[in-house]
Amino acid sequence: MIGFIAAILTTLSFVPQAWQIIKTKDTSGISLGMYAMFVVGVFLWLIHGWNIQDYAVIAANGITLVLASIILAYKIKYK
Amino acid sequence: MIGFIAAILTTLSFVPQAWQIIKTKDTSGISLGMYAMFVVGVFLWLIHGWNIQDYAVIAANGITLVLASIILAYKIKYK
């Protein structure tokens, strides 16, 4: 149960960040390096989840990948 | 192997963000909501890792917890 709640929190935590960045377009404090590394890492988690056929890992990282990619795209566009 | 690389990338991705925020103290683009949720989520992952005695989960989330807590503390201090 704790792992499930942990996954929900760490996955959905990117929603307020994506929402804020879409609304304000303020990306000054955000690290391009972080989100570049993080997006690649989450993509690899997605592949790992597929390899071990773990749908929780696939779902959590699929959602996180979309959110983190939005943040990365805004950071690149509105440096 | 892919899971290991994914864990390294997603864990260490918080280093450039923590470094940037310590150096610039610019937290304007960072979401307080994200890091509050994320720190709690990572803390629960740490407990989950301990419960299942998985040292990779413990190590990765222990490091992430320290880095994310630094970012959260700077965000609270330098809103």
Side-chain angles (χ1 to χ4, degrees):
Chain A
M1 186 60 182
I2 286 184
F4 181 70
I5 298 169
I8 297 279
L9 281 172
T10 47
T11 299
L12 294 185
S13 68
F14 287 89
V15 170
Q17 181 67 79
W19 177 253
Q20 179 174 317
I21 210 170
I22 292 168
K23 226 177 39 179
T24 66
K25 299 194 176 39
D26 174 3
T27 67
S28 67
I30 291 190
S31 162
L32 179 61
M34 167 177 167
Y35 278 91
M37 279 174 78
F38 192 79
V39 163
V40 172
V42 167
F43 179 69
L44 291 180
W45 272 123
L46 197 56
I47 293 176
H48 177 68
W50 182 262
N51 287 347
I52 61 172
Q53 285 296 291
D54 182 327
Y55 290 101
V57 173
I58 294 170
N61 287 283
I63 295 167
T64 306
L65 184 61
V66 170
L67 293 167
S69 301
I70 290 170
I71 297 165
L72 179 61
Y74 268 74
K75 174 64 186 176
I76 292 169
K77 189 174 179 188
Y78 299 99
K79 263 206 186 118
Chain B
M1 186 58 181
I2 286 184
F4 181 70
I5 299 169
I8 297 277
L9 281 171
T10 47
T11 299
L12 295 185
S13 67
F14 287 89
V15 171
Q17 181 66 77
W19 177 254
Q20 180 174 316
I21 211 170
I22 291 168
K23 227 178 34 179
T24 65
K25 299 192 175 39
D26 174 3
T27 68
S28 67
I30 290 189
S31 161
L32 179 61
M34 166 176 166
Y35 278 91
M37 278 173 77
F38 191 78
V39 164
V40 173
V42 167
F43 179 68
L44 290 180
W45 273 123
L46 196 56
I47 294 177
H48 177 67
W50 183 262
N51 287 347
I52 61 173
Q53 285 295 293
D54 182 326
Y55 290 101
V57 173
I58 294 171
N61 287 284
I63 295 167
T64 306
L65 184 61
V66 170
L67 294 167
S69 302
I70 291 170
I71 297 165
L72 179 60
Y74 269 74
K75 174 63 186 177
I76 291 168
K77 189 173 179 189
Y78 299 99
K79 258 198 194 130

